[in-house]
Amino acid sequence: MNVALQCGGSDGYSGITANPALGVASDLEVGHGGRVILAETPEIYGAEQQLLDRVNNVETGAKLVAQLRWWEDYTSMHGGSLDNNPTPGNKAGGLATILEKSLGAVAKSGSTSLNEVVAYGQKPRKAGLIFMDTPGYDPVSVTGQIAGGAQIVVFTTGRGSAFGSKPAPTIKLATNDQLLAKMPDDMDINCGDIATNGVPLAQKGAQILDYIIETASGRATKSETLGLGDHEFVPWQLGAVM
């Protein structure tokens, strides 16, 4: 099974609840012979060493570094910077710097080796943890992951990003209890209880994997029930897309 890892509308809880819990589920998925696809190159910037320390060979690491250098040139060409501040929504959620967001984003990948780095929309050849070069903009990033073979998307959010996708169902993970209470019809799993009730990451990660399996077996996700996903097919277009 191919699982796309995504986060959007991050908050101060993302890096300590939903994202590391998804990292545990990623490790379990890889352990069963599956594939997980991490993406959003601008959102690993500053935390890329955590991936470089886990590459399976020198060539894989060199390819990831080359992608990051390309993004530095790309953003500079359009008058931007990769180490800029997070979005207003991220700040409102408690993130002070882009590095905090990047550290949380990388946590989704778990702890297994990085086996392959692929271009946008490219189908991976290897199993295990894969990194795909995509913008951070969620619809564009997910479109690339699905084009590369992702069958299910697991999306963590702390600010309530109303995202769904077709044809690959999206499982939504709430990073905090308040978000679940506000958007119960759009959140599949609450990870806020990791912080409020001390639920172990291992337990939550196993719950996420079980939900992935149930979704692959035909269970409708919340976003599917709401009918979301018709407008999230957004290929990477010419111009500045972050």
Side-chain angles (χ1 to χ4, degrees):
M1 185 159 51
N2 300 325
V3 179
L5 311 176
Q6 277 287 325
C7 57
S10 300
D11 71 345
Y13 286 99
S14 296
I16 59 176
T17 61
N19 287 10
L22 180 53
V24 172
S26 296
D27 287 347
L28 293 171
E29 172 72 17
V30 170
H32 286 292
R35 177 186 289 133
V36 294
I37 306 173
L38 182 67
E40 301 178 289
T41 313
E43 296 185 8
I44 68 162
Y45 192 71
E48 66 270 14
Q49 193 61 50
Q50 294 192 16
L51 292 172
L52 292 171
D53 287 342
R54 294 153 52 195
V55 295
N56 62 341
N57 57 52
V58 174
E59 290 75 20
T60 302
K63 194 166 185 179
L64 181 60
V65 170
Q67 288 182 343
L68 289 164
R69 298 293 86 83
W70 183 90
W71 272 93
E72 289 176 335
D73 293 340
Y74 176 70
T75 53
S76 176
M77 178 176 63
H78 291 286
S81 172
L82 277 180
D83 59 356
N84 207 338
N85 291 324
T87 65
N90 291 157
K91 290 179 181 179
L95 292 175
T97 69
I98 199 68
L99 179 58
E100 292 174 347
K101 183 174 177 64
S102 294
L103 288 168
V106 172
K108 302 193 303 292
S109 68
S111 61
T112 61
S113 66
L114 177 60
N115 292 340
E116 190 177 7
V117 174
V118 298
Y120 182 79
Q122 180 182 356
K123 185 176 181 179
R125 294 176 291 106
K126 298 181 180 179
L129 173 62
I130 309 297
F131 184 82
M132 177 179 287
D133 182 30
T134 78
Y137 183 44
D138 303 322
V140 175
S141 182
V142 173
T143 298
Q145 290 172 307
I146 294 174
Q151 298 153 306
I152 289 176
V153 180
V154 185
F155 191 109
T156 71
T157 180
R159 302 290 293 163
S161 179
F163 182 88
S165 60
K166 294 178 181 177
T170 295
I171 299 169
K172 304 287 282 293
L173 309 185
T175 70
N176 61 81
D177 296 340
Q178 292 78 12
L179 176 58
L180 181 74
K182 291 177 181 178
M183 302 179 67
D185 294 333
D186 193 33
M187 296 295 127
D188 294 282
I189 297 176
N190 178 35
C191 295
D193 52 7
I194 294 171
T196 55
N197 294 330
V199 173
L201 286 173
Q203 178 180 329
K204 188 62 65 173
Q207 180 186 354
I208 295 169
L209 179 65
D210 287 343
Y211 205 99
I212 291 172
I213 295 171
E214 291 170 8
T215 301
S217 301
R219 173 177 177 168
T221 64
K222 296 289 185 68
S223 63
E224 284 184 286
T225 302
L226 290 173
L228 300 177
D230 289 321
H231 305 290
E232 282 81 358
F233 177 76
V234 187
W236 192 350
Q237 59 200 25
L238 295 175
V241 181
M242 287 290 289

